[in-house]
Amino acid sequence: NAGVTQTPKFRILKIGQSMTLQCTQDMNHNYMYWYRQDPGMGLKLIYYSVGAGITDKGEVPNGYNVSRSTTEDFPLRLELAAPSQTSVYFCASSYTRQGDYEQYFGPGTRLTVT
Amino acid sequence: AQTVTQSQPEMSVQEAETVTLSCTYDTSENNYYLFWYKQPPSRQMILVIRQEAYKQQNATENRFSVNFQKAAKSFSLKISDSQLGDTAMYFCACNSGGGADGLTFGKGTHLIIQP
């Protein structure tokens, strides 16, 4: 199992550009999440999904969009990038069976908006 | 809504010593889970240990153990016989029993193990 994979690892965007961060998991998890980590801070939830076709906002959703057309993939779209979106982005997935809510994280994408 | 507070931005101990990282949390849920994640310089998030709120027994994983005080909403991590490889950021996190709404993280503690 590759686990949770994210692409790209690094990206530099100009203000106003758009991009999609890719996330794929091969563990057949139904729950998937996107977090951002700003310098010196913990992770904050952007969006999450409980299954294909179902998404919901987390704590900091403004400026982002998501879709979940398959169990495996959960891309995060940035429209009109702003300097405030400079951060490290983590995708994660988890089971929902009782007693096992461990989230498995991807390696992260470092995004800089200038 | 949940909140997680880690009051120690940085800690430094000598190799082989024991160190305790503090965490307090607040949640209105009756069924919830608590986690400690380690983030080394590679930035990969690694689960260290987890605790289910309905279990009174403190979780233990090799050199890592927790002190879970449910009434005080406290969840500290004890690392015994610390090793150089334990140097990392440590994050305390909480989620509700359903798990769907993601984890709420503290700001982290930077732990440095000195040789």
Side-chain angles (χ1 to χ4, degrees):
Chain A
N1 281 354
V4 180
T5 57
Q6 293 182 237
T7 57
K9 286 187 170 47
F10 304 93
R11 183 73 185 267
I12 298 174
L13 281 183
K14 295 188 186 305
I15 294 172
Q17 287 185 323
S18 300
M19 76 164 294
T20 299
L21 281 65
Q22 301 293 343
C23 175
T24 300
Q25 54 91 10
D26 62 358
M27 297 174 283
N28 202 31
H29 289 172
N30 50 343
Y31 285 10
M32 295 188 74
Y33 313 84
W34 275 105
Y35 296 89
R36 60 177 286 172
Q37 183 180 25
D38 298 330
M41 302 292 287
L43 282 66
K44 291 189 176 181
L45 185 66
I46 305 172
Y47 270 95
Y48 64 94
S49 169
V50 300
I54 306 170
T55 63
D56 208 346
K57 296 178 181 179
E59 184 183 354
V60 290
N62 291 344
Y64 307 94
N65 279 299
V66 293
S67 60
R68 183 103 180 267
S69 56
T70 66
T71 299
E72 294 78 20
D73 301 308
F74 190 40
L76 178 71
R77 177 84 176 159
L78 279 72
E79 305 281 2
L80 299 174
S84 61
Q85 293 178 304
T86 292
S87 192
V88 179
Y89 291 84
F90 289 95
C91 179
S93 69
S94 70
Y95 285 119
T96 57
R97 61 174 182 242
Q98 185 68 28
D100 185 0
Y101 298 112
E102 177 184 352
Q103 292 192 12
Y104 296 77
F105 285 83
T109 295
R110 181 178 294 278
L111 175 67
T112 302
V113 182
T114 61
Chain B
Q2 295 149 158
T3 60
V4 176
T5 303
Q6 295 178 250
S7 58
Q8 304 153 311
E10 185 169 288
M11 296 187 70
S12 180
V13 299
Q14 297 294 124
E15 192 176 7
E17 289 184 344
T18 294
V19 59
T20 299
L21 308 183
S22 301
C23 172
T24 58
Y25 63 94
D26 193 17
T27 179
S28 57
E29 301 287 338
N30 290 322
N31 184 23
Y32 55 91
Y33 294 77
L34 298 164
F35 303 85
W36 279 97
Y37 277 88
K38 171 184 178 181
Q39 187 179 44
S42 67
R43 79 172 181 239
Q44 179 69 49
M45 296 292 288
I46 303 165
L47 178 67
V48 175
I49 198 165
R50 65 178 165 213
Q51 176 79 41
E52 295 156 52
Y54 63 87
K55 289 187 176 179
Q56 292 189 339
Q57 187 172 3
N58 289 326
T60 299
E61 289 285 344
N62 300 313
R63 297 184 295 109
F64 299 88
S65 61
V66 299
N67 184 5
F68 175 46
Q69 302 289 328
K70 190 172 184 178
K73 295 186 176 178
S74 171
F75 183 60
S76 61
L77 174 68
K78 185 172 85 170
I79 305 174
S80 303
D81 185 27
S82 57
Q83 301 174 359
L84 297 178
D86 295 334
T87 294
M89 286 292 296
Y90 286 81
F91 293 97
C92 180
C94 175
N95 75 358
S96 63
D101 55 353
L103 290 164
T104 300
F105 285 86
K107 291 185 178 182
T109 296
H110 185 206
L111 176 64
I112 300 168
I113 309 300
Q114 305 276 9

